[in-house]
Amino acid sequence: MTERNRPGISFNEALEEKLAQANWSRREFLGRVAAFGAAAALTQLLVACGGGAASPSAGPTTQATPQGTTTAEATATPAPTPVPTPEKELFVYNWDQYIGEETVQKFQDKYGIKVTYDNFADEAAQIGKINSDGKGGGYDIHYPASTWVASFVTDGRIMPIDHSLIPNLKNLSAAWQNPAYDPGNAHSVPNFWWTTGYAWDPRDVPGSPTSWNELWNPARKNQMSMLDDIRECFAVGAFLLGFSPNTKDLGELDQILQKLEVQKPLLRKYNASSQIDDMIDEVVQMAHCWSGDWVQMTYTKPRMKYVIPSEGSIKGNDVMVISSGAPHPIAAHLWIDFNLDGDISAENTNYIGYMGPNEAALPKIEDYIKGDKRLNPPQSVLDELIELEYLAPADLAQYTDRWNALRA
Amino acid sequence: MTSATAPAELDHATGQIHEAGAGRSAAAATSILVLPGVLWLAVFFLVPLGIMAVVSLGAVDQGGHVTLAHPGLGNYTHALDPEFLPALGRSIYYAITTTVLSLAIGYPVAYWISRYGGRRKILLLILVMLPFWTSYLIRTYAWMTILRDNGVINSLLLDVGLIDQPIPILNTDLSVILGMTYGFLPYAILPLFVSIDRLDFSLVQAARDLYATGRGAFLHVTLPLTMPGLVAAGLLTFIPALGDYVTPDVLGGAQTTTIANLIQVIFTTGRDWPYGSALGFLLMGVTIVGTLIALRSLRREVIGVSA
């Protein structure tokens, strides 16, 4: 966090500037603090930077659970239209810096429902918390990647969405009304989507690279980074070798591993989160990253470029889901409906740089996001991109084993 | 005279002194005072450890849940896979280097505070502990500021004209060892200080009176008498250094993965607790073996001499 603590800027200013821009860093930061048990030290920092984010380890599990039975009855007879509910609270669990700046406050003002908005550091922390009691860990709403929906439904982690409580579902574009991962949006509502590619610094990298092979260029030894993400790295290898990024074929996985082993000695880092800072600070010239990372790089260094490589790449989206043990299910539906409002959705996108599936939001989304082919690719490009599919534990273990062999 | 300093380090020795002085009821009272600590360790250390031991024999089913349907040692044989050797070797290399550096830097500091600290001893010790007032994580991030390509060190070297291109320090073995040594140094200094401060310096004077050189007196009197502190400091540095994953993660790079980093991946992204537990227990085994070797050498060098 403090690496950009430049002369003339106080620690807090630097931190605040960073937190505003580099949500990935903050997630990572939170994660490490959670892992290290130093939440107390962090709280001060968060207060100092006005983020209002609670420590991810301070979930509302205890106070939330007892109310579960009484409010569950309320869902049985849902009101036909969203009206203020007897529920006075809502527990939301989301990525840090992954929502409009004023969205939470506006929701509170509109419905008089107090929102406890907690952040998680990474997907592992999120899934761990949600699975801790098998029904959401006391949170009403959380934001998993779409690939989790099927297993959450099977395991009873989330409840069906009552569409009559969410009139704004009509704002979803046609393509998102019936996604493959959750037909009819029965158990989830799409939130944001992204692409994977790489960013580069035109000062060091001539021309307009388009291939994933650029990340294997020995001339850039020690000046490139890959995402510290098993699936994303294996996907890059798969695209270069012409395999599916969802392959379960052990022979293909072995070939991908060999490919990645050639690349490893050339890399400065496998980046869990500092890909934004490392590009801004010119530690690396080229970084495997997500589209939103690049947007945030350009806030500081507008010259930075991003490409969705020609061999193919990944698209993904996350969703809003309601825990099966949600203490406040009606308020949770109101929350989803509120975030699907065209104005609110546009504010969310304009703040974090990720495009959502909301058609009503389009007119209010900033042109630099909406008009950028890399952030908002035309349908023909999107159709070519592939979604990472959920892997069963046995298949994931094949990936993890090879990843560990690579990293060791 | 060796026995006067050495066993005072050990808990049971202190216990014996109390017992001799105040009798049986005091021993009972002391036992009650120990109870909360024992309970705490039992509930929050032994129970989770036992759970991990059981989990390490299990497997993950298709739904991602831990199952003990077919318990076995498969995770352990899997964990012995030679693919982990480079990471394990790196962990041991970092831990040993960190320990040696911490002792080499810490011993003179502890010695100086003890001998020349005078009335300011407490203040100096507080200064040693001062870094603990800030989260280790935040301090490690601060090191990034110092070590980055455009960080303090490189900017300085560039400005002075010693280099014309930033030297990559961050994300290398050097940055990891630097960070770990920085982090674990206080753990080395404190036991060293206790041990040196307890040394009766009239013994050193006696050695000098008997025509020992300064070096001879140090090697034959000071060093053996402070060996318990050295071993304690070494263990307090080596054990956490071996299991450290934060420093290699924050200050390391693509080529500095440690075994603890891999265990972390298996637990989080890999979601395979049984396998991660087995690897964790293997690492614990390495640690215990290392500790036993250190304690044996302590016995031979110090306690063994006097017995």
Side-chain angles (χ1 to χ4, degrees), chain B residues 197-261:
Chain B
D197 204 46
R198 212 172 267 169
L199 174 70
D200 182 353
F201 274 91
S202 57
L203 297 171
V204 181
Q205 281 165 357
R208 295 303 299 271
D209 288 346
L210 295 168
Y211 299 104
T213 59
R215 197 184 140 163
F218 178 77
L219 286 179
H220 296 290
V221 180
T222 312
L223 201 56
L225 288 179
T226 52
M227 192 52 80
L230 267 171
V231 172
L235 288 178
L236 279 175
T237 315
F238 182 79
I239 294 172
L242 192 63
D244 189 15
Y245 74 89
V246 174
T247 320
D249 210 19
V250 176
L251 299 179
Q255 333 293 339
T256 66
T257 312
T258 63
I259 190 80
N261 291 138

Coordinates of all heavy atoms in Angstrom, one line a residue, chain B residues 197-261:
Chain B
D197 N 22.3 -10.5 29.9 CA 22.2 -9.6 31.1 C 22.3 -10.5 32.4 O 22.7 -9.9 33.4 CB 20.8 -9.0 31.1 CG 20.8 -7.7 31.9 OD1 21.7 -6.9 31.7 OD2 19.8 -7.5 32.7
R198 N 22.1 -11.8 32.3 CA 22.1 -12.6 33.4 C 23.6 -13.1 33.7 O 23.9 -13.6 34.7 CB 21.2 -13.8 33.2 CG 20.6 -14.3 34.5 CD 19.6 -15.4 34.1 NE 18.3 -14.8 34.0 CZ 17.3 -15.5 33.5 NH1 17.4 -16.7 33.0 NH2 16.1 -15.0 33.5
L199 N 24.4 -12.9 32.7 CA 25.8 -13.3 32.8 C 26.5 -12.5 33.9 O 26.4 -11.3 33.9 CB 26.5 -13.1 31.4 CG 28.0 -13.4 31.4 CD1 28.2 -14.9 31.5 CD2 28.5 -12.9 30.0
D200 N 27.2 -13.3 34.7 CA 28.0 -12.6 35.8 C 29.3 -12.2 35.2 O 30.2 -13.0 34.9 CB 28.2 -13.6 36.9 CG 28.9 -12.9 38.1 OD1 29.4 -11.8 37.9 OD2 29.1 -13.6 39.1
F201 N 29.5 -10.8 35.0 CA 30.7 -10.4 34.3 C 31.9 -10.5 35.1 O 33.0 -10.3 34.5 CB 30.4 -9.0 33.7 CG 29.8 -9.0 32.4 CD1 28.4 -8.9 32.3 CD2 30.5 -9.1 31.2 CE1 27.8 -9.0 31.1 CE2 29.9 -9.2 30.0 CZ 28.5 -9.1 29.9
S202 N 31.8 -10.8 36.4 CA 33.0 -11.0 37.1 C 33.7 -12.3 36.6 O 34.9 -12.4 36.8 CB 32.7 -11.1 38.6 OG 31.8 -12.1 38.8
L203 N 32.9 -13.2 36.0 CA 33.6 -14.4 35.5 C 34.4 -14.0 34.3 O 35.5 -14.6 34.1 CB 32.5 -15.3 35.0 CG 31.6 -15.9 36.1 CD1 30.4 -16.7 35.5 CD2 32.4 -16.8 37.0
V204 N 34.0 -13.1 33.5 CA 34.8 -12.6 32.4 C 36.0 -11.9 32.9 O 37.2 -12.2 32.4 CB 34.0 -11.7 31.5 CG1 34.8 -11.2 30.3 CG2 32.7 -12.3 31.0
Q205 N 35.9 -11.1 33.9 CA 37.0 -10.5 34.5 C 38.0 -11.5 35.1 O 39.2 -11.4 34.9 CB 36.6 -9.5 35.6 CG 36.0 -8.2 35.1 CD 35.2 -7.4 36.1 OE1 35.1 -7.9 37.3 NE2 34.8 -6.3 35.8
A206 N 37.5 -12.5 35.7 CA 38.3 -13.6 36.2 C 39.2 -14.2 35.1 O 40.4 -14.5 35.2 CB 37.5 -14.6 36.9
A207 N 38.5 -14.5 34.0 CA 39.2 -15.1 32.8 C 40.3 -14.1 32.4 O 41.4 -14.6 32.1 CB 38.2 -15.3 31.7
R208 N 40.0 -12.8 32.3 CA 41.0 -11.9 31.9 C 42.2 -11.9 32.9 O 43.3 -11.8 32.5 CB 40.4 -10.5 31.7 CG 39.4 -10.3 30.7 CD 39.9 -10.7 29.3 NE 41.0 -9.9 28.8 CZ 40.9 -8.8 28.2 NH1 39.7 -8.4 27.8 NH2 42.0 -8.1 27.8
D209 N 41.8 -11.9 34.2 CA 42.9 -12.0 35.2 C 43.8 -13.2 35.1 O 45.0 -13.1 35.4 CB 42.2 -12.0 36.6 CG 41.6 -10.7 37.0 OD1 41.9 -9.7 36.3 OD2 40.8 -10.6 37.9
L210 N 43.2 -14.3 34.5 CA 44.0 -15.5 34.3 C 44.6 -15.4 32.9 O 44.9 -16.5 32.3 CB 43.1 -16.7 34.5 CG 42.6 -16.9 35.9 CD1 41.5 -17.9 36.0 CD2 43.7 -17.2 36.9
Y211 N 44.8 -14.2 32.4 CA 45.5 -14.0 31.1 C 44.8 -14.5 29.9 O 45.4 -14.8 28.9 CB 46.9 -14.6 31.2 CG 47.7 -14.0 32.3 CD1 48.0 -14.6 33.5 CD2 48.2 -12.7 32.1 CE1 48.7 -14.0 34.5 CE2 49.0 -12.1 33.1 CZ 49.2 -12.7 34.3 OH 49.9 -12.2 35.3
A212 N 43.4 -14.6 30.0 CA 42.7 -14.9 28.7 C 42.7 -13.6 27.9 O 42.6 -12.5 28.4 CB 41.3 -15.4 29.0
T213 N 42.8 -13.8 26.6 CA 42.7 -12.6 25.7 C 41.2 -12.2 25.7 O 40.3 -13.0 26.1 CB 43.1 -12.9 24.3 OG1 42.3 -14.0 23.8 CG2 44.6 -13.3 24.2
G214 N 40.9 -11.0 25.2 CA 39.5 -10.6 25.1 C 38.7 -11.6 24.3 O 37.6 -12.0 24.7
R215 N 39.3 -12.1 23.2 CA 38.7 -13.0 22.3 C 38.5 -14.4 23.0 O 37.5 -15.0 23.0 CB 39.5 -13.2 21.1 CG 38.8 -13.8 20.0 CD 39.8 -14.0 18.8 NE 39.5 -15.3 18.2 CZ 39.9 -15.7 17.0 NH1 40.7 -14.9 16.3 NH2 39.6 -16.8 16.5
G216 N 39.6 -14.8 23.7 CA 39.5 -16.0 24.4 C 38.4 -16.0 25.5 O 37.7 -17.0 25.7
A217 N 38.4 -14.9 26.3 CA 37.4 -14.9 27.3 C 36.0 -14.9 26.7 O 35.1 -15.6 27.3 CB 37.5 -13.6 28.1
F218 N 35.8 -14.3 25.6 CA 34.5 -14.3 24.9 C 34.1 -15.7 24.5 O 33.0 -16.2 24.8 CB 34.4 -13.4 23.7 CG 33.1 -13.4 23.0 CD1 32.0 -12.7 23.5 CD2 33.0 -14.1 21.8 CE1 30.8 -12.8 22.8 CE2 31.8 -14.1 21.1 CZ 30.7 -13.5 21.7
L219 N 35.1 -16.4 23.8 CA 34.8 -17.7 23.2 C 34.6 -18.8 24.3 O 33.8 -19.7 24.2 CB 35.9 -18.1 22.3 CG 36.0 -17.4 20.9 CD1 37.1 -17.9 20.1 CD2 34.6 -17.6 20.2
H220 N 35.4 -18.6 25.4 CA 35.4 -19.7 26.4 C 34.5 -19.4 27.6 O 34.2 -20.3 28.4 CB 36.8 -20.0 26.9 CG 37.7 -20.5 25.8 ND1 37.5 -21.8 25.2 CD2 38.7 -20.0 25.1 CE1 38.4 -22.0 24.3 NE2 39.1 -20.9 24.1
V221 N 34.1 -18.2 27.8 CA 33.3 -17.8 29.0 C 31.9 -17.2 28.5 O 30.9 -17.8 28.7 CB 34.0 -16.8 29.9 CG1 33.1 -16.5 31.1 CG2 35.3 -17.4 30.4
T222 N 32.0 -16.1 27.8 CA 30.7 -15.4 27.5 C 29.8 -16.3 26.6 O 28.7 -16.5 26.9 CB 31.0 -14.1 26.8 OG1 32.0 -13.4 27.6 CG2 29.8 -13.2 26.7
L223 N 30.4 -16.7 25.5 CA 29.6 -17.5 24.5 C 29.0 -18.7 25.1 O 27.8 -18.9 24.9 CB 30.5 -17.8 23.3 CG 29.7 -18.0 22.0 CD1 28.8 -16.9 21.6 CD2 30.7 -18.3 20.8
P224 N 29.8 -19.6 25.7 CA 29.1 -20.8 26.3 C 28.0 -20.5 27.3 O 27.0 -21.1 27.4 CB 30.3 -21.5 27.0 CG 31.5 -21.0 26.4 CD 31.2 -19.6 25.9
L225 N 28.3 -19.4 28.1 CA 27.3 -19.1 29.2 C 26.0 -18.5 28.6 O 25.0 -18.5 29.2 CB 27.9 -18.1 30.2 CG 28.9 -18.7 31.1 CD1 29.5 -17.7 32.1 CD2 28.3 -19.9 31.9
T226 N 26.1 -17.9 27.4 CA 24.9 -17.3 26.8 C 24.3 -18.2 25.7 O 23.4 -17.8 25.0 CB 25.3 -15.9 26.2 OG1 26.4 -16.1 25.3 CG2 25.6 -14.9 27.2
M227 N 24.9 -19.4 25.6 CA 24.4 -20.4 24.6 C 22.9 -20.6 24.7 O 22.2 -20.7 23.7 CB 25.2 -21.7 24.7 CG 25.0 -22.6 23.5 SD 25.2 -21.8 21.9 CE 27.0 -21.9 21.8
P228 N 22.3 -20.7 25.9 CA 20.9 -20.9 26.0 C 20.1 -19.8 25.3 O 19.1 -20.0 24.6 CB 20.6 -21.0 27.5 CG 21.9 -21.3 28.1 CD 22.9 -20.8 27.3
G229 N 20.6 -18.6 25.5 CA 19.9 -17.4 24.8 C 20.1 -17.5 23.3 O 19.1 -17.2 22.6
L230 N 21.3 -18.0 22.9 CA 21.5 -18.1 21.4 C 20.5 -19.1 20.8 O 19.9 -18.9 19.8 CB 22.9 -18.5 21.2 CG 23.9 -17.4 20.9 CD1 25.3 -17.9 20.9 CD2 23.6 -16.7 19.6
V231 N 20.4 -20.3 21.5 CA 19.5 -21.3 21.0 C 18.1 -20.9 21.0 O 17.3 -21.0 20.0 CB 19.7 -22.6 21.8 CG1 18.7 -23.7 21.4 CG2 21.1 -23.2 21.6
A232 N 17.7 -20.2 22.1 CA 16.3 -19.7 22.2 C 16.0 -18.7 21.1 O 15.0 -18.8 20.4 CB 16.0 -19.1 23.6
A233 N 17.0 -17.8 20.9 CA 16.8 -16.8 19.9 C 16.8 -17.4 18.5 O 16.0 -17.1 17.6 CB 18.0 -15.8 19.9
G234 N 17.6 -18.5 18.3 CA 17.7 -19.2 17.0 C 16.3 -19.8 16.7 O 15.8 -19.7 15.6
L235 N 15.8 -20.5 17.7 CA 14.5 -21.2 17.5 C 13.4 -20.2 17.3 O 12.5 -20.4 16.4 CB 14.2 -22.0 18.8 CG 15.0 -23.3 19.0 CD1 14.6 -24.0 20.2 CD2 14.9 -24.2 17.8
L236 N 13.4 -19.1 18.1 CA 12.3 -18.1 17.9 C 12.4 -17.4 16.5 O 11.4 -16.9 16.1 CB 12.4 -17.0 19.0 CG 11.8 -17.4 20.3 CD1 12.1 -16.4 21.4 CD2 10.3 -17.7 20.2
T237 N 13.5 -17.5 15.9 CA 13.7 -16.9 14.6 C 13.4 -18.0 13.5 O 12.7 -17.7 12.6 CB 15.1 -16.3 14.3 OG1 15.5 -15.6 15.5 CG2 15.1 -15.4 13.1
F238 N 14.0 -19.1 13.7 CA 14.0 -20.2 12.6 C 12.6 -20.7 12.4 O 12.1 -20.8 11.3 CB 14.9 -21.3 13.0 CG 15.0 -22.4 12.0 CD1 15.7 -22.2 10.8 CD2 14.2 -23.6 12.1 CE1 15.8 -23.2 9.9 CE2 14.3 -24.6 11.2 CZ 15.1 -24.4 10.0
I239 N 11.9 -21.0 13.5 CA 10.5 -21.6 13.4 C 9.5 -20.7 12.7 O 8.9 -21.1 11.7 CB 10.0 -22.1 14.8 CG1 10.9 -23.2 15.3 CG2 8.6 -22.5 14.7 CD1 10.6 -23.6 16.7
P240 N 9.3 -19.5 13.1 CA 8.4 -18.6 12.3 C 8.9 -18.3 10.9 O 8.1 -18.2 10.0 CB 8.2 -17.4 13.1 CG 9.4 -17.4 14.1 CD 9.8 -18.8 14.3
A241 N 10.2 -18.2 10.7 CA 10.8 -17.9 9.4 C 10.5 -19.1 8.5 O 10.2 -18.9 7.3 CB 12.3 -17.7 9.5
L242 N 10.5 -20.3 9.0 CA 10.3 -21.5 8.1 C 8.8 -21.5 7.6 O 8.5 -21.9 6.5 CB 10.6 -22.8 8.9 CG 10.7 -24.0 8.1 CD1 11.8 -24.0 7.1 CD2 10.8 -25.2 9.0
G243 N 7.9 -21.0 8.5 CA 6.5 -21.1 8.1 C 6.0 -19.7 7.5 O 4.8 -19.6 7.2
D244 N 6.9 -18.8 7.4 CA 6.4 -17.4 6.9 C 5.9 -17.5 5.5 O 6.6 -18.0 4.6 CB 7.6 -16.4 7.1 CG 7.1 -15.0 6.8 OD1 5.9 -14.8 6.9 OD2 8.0 -14.1 6.6
Y245 N 4.8 -17.0 5.2 CA 4.3 -16.8 3.8 C 4.0 -15.4 3.5 O 4.0 -15.0 2.3 CB 3.1 -17.7 3.6 CG 1.8 -17.2 4.1 CD1 1.0 -16.4 3.4 CD2 1.4 -17.6 5.4 CE1 -0.2 -15.9 3.9 CE2 0.2 -17.2 5.9 CZ -0.6 -16.3 5.2 OH -1.8 -15.9 5.7
V246 N 3.9 -14.5 4.5 CA 3.6 -13.1 4.2 C 4.7 -12.4 3.5 O 4.6 -11.8 2.5 CB 3.2 -12.4 5.5 CG1 2.9 -10.9 5.2 CG2 1.9 -13.0 6.1
T247 N 5.9 -12.5 4.1 CA 7.1 -11.8 3.6 C 7.4 -12.3 2.2 O 7.5 -11.4 1.3 CB 8.3 -12.0 4.5 OG1 7.9 -11.9 5.9 CG2 9.3 -10.9 4.2
P248 N 7.5 -13.6 1.9 CA 7.8 -14.0 0.5 C 6.7 -13.5 -0.4 O 6.9 -13.2 -1.6 CB 7.9 -15.5 0.6 CG 7.9 -15.9 2.0 CD 7.5 -14.7 2.8
D249 N 5.5 -13.5 0.1 CA 4.3 -13.1 -0.8 C 4.4 -11.6 -1.1 O 4.2 -11.2 -2.3 CB 3.0 -13.4 0.0 CG 1.9 -13.7 -1.0 OD1 2.2 -14.0 -2.2 OD2 0.7 -13.6 -0.6
V250 N 4.7 -10.7 -0.1 CA 4.7 -9.3 -0.3 C 6.0 -8.8 -1.0 O 6.0 -8.1 -2.0 CB 4.5 -8.6 1.0 CG1 4.6 -7.1 0.8 CG2 3.1 -8.9 1.6
L251 N 7.1 -9.3 -0.5 CA 8.4 -8.8 -1.0 C 9.0 -9.7 -2.0 O 10.0 -9.3 -2.7 CB 9.4 -8.6 0.2 CG 9.0 -7.7 1.3 CD1 10.0 -7.6 2.4 CD2 8.8 -6.3 0.7
G252 N 8.5 -10.9 -2.2 CA 9.0 -11.9 -3.1 C 8.5 -11.7 -4.5 O 7.7 -10.8 -4.8
G253 N 8.9 -12.6 -5.4 CA 8.5 -12.5 -6.8 C 8.2 -13.9 -7.3 O 7.8 -14.8 -6.6
A254 N 8.3 -14.0 -8.7 CA 7.9 -15.2 -9.3 C 8.8 -16.4 -8.9 O 8.4 -17.5 -9.0 CB 7.9 -15.1 -10.8
Q255 N 10.0 -16.1 -8.5 CA 11.0 -17.1 -8.2 C 11.2 -17.4 -6.7 O 12.2 -18.0 -6.4 CB 12.4 -16.8 -8.9 CG 12.3 -15.9 -10.1 CD 11.6 -16.6 -11.3 OE1 11.5 -17.8 -11.4 NE2 11.1 -15.8 -12.2
T256 N 10.4 -16.9 -5.9 CA 10.7 -17.0 -4.4 C 9.6 -17.7 -3.6 O 9.4 -17.5 -2.5 CB 10.8 -15.6 -3.8 OG1 9.6 -14.9 -3.8 CG2 11.9 -14.8 -4.5
T257 N 8.8 -18.6 -4.3 CA 7.7 -19.3 -3.6 C 8.3 -20.2 -2.5 O 9.2 -21.0 -2.8 CB 6.9 -20.1 -4.6 OG1 6.7 -19.3 -5.8 CG2 5.7 -20.6 -4.0
T258 N 7.7 -20.1 -1.3 CA 8.1 -21.0 -0.3 C 7.0 -22.1 -0.1 O 5.9 -22.0 -0.6 CB 8.2 -20.2 1.1 OG1 7.0 -19.7 1.4 CG2 9.3 -19.1 0.9
I259 N 7.4 -23.1 0.7 CA 6.4 -24.2 1.0 C 5.1 -23.6 1.6 O 4.0 -24.1 1.4 CB 7.1 -25.3 1.8 CG1 6.2 -26.5 1.9 CG2 7.4 -24.8 3.2 CD1 6.3 -27.4 0.6
A260 N 5.3 -22.6 2.5 CA 4.1 -22.0 3.2 C 3.2 -21.4 2.1 O 2.0 -21.4 2.3 CB 4.6 -21.0 4.2
N261 N 3.8 -20.7 1.1 CA 2.9 -20.1 0.0 C 2.1 -21.2 -0.6 O 0.9 -21.0 -0.9 CB 3.8 -19.5 -1.0 CG 4.5 -18.2 -0.5 OD1 5.7 -18.0 -0.8 ND2 3.8 -17.4 0.3

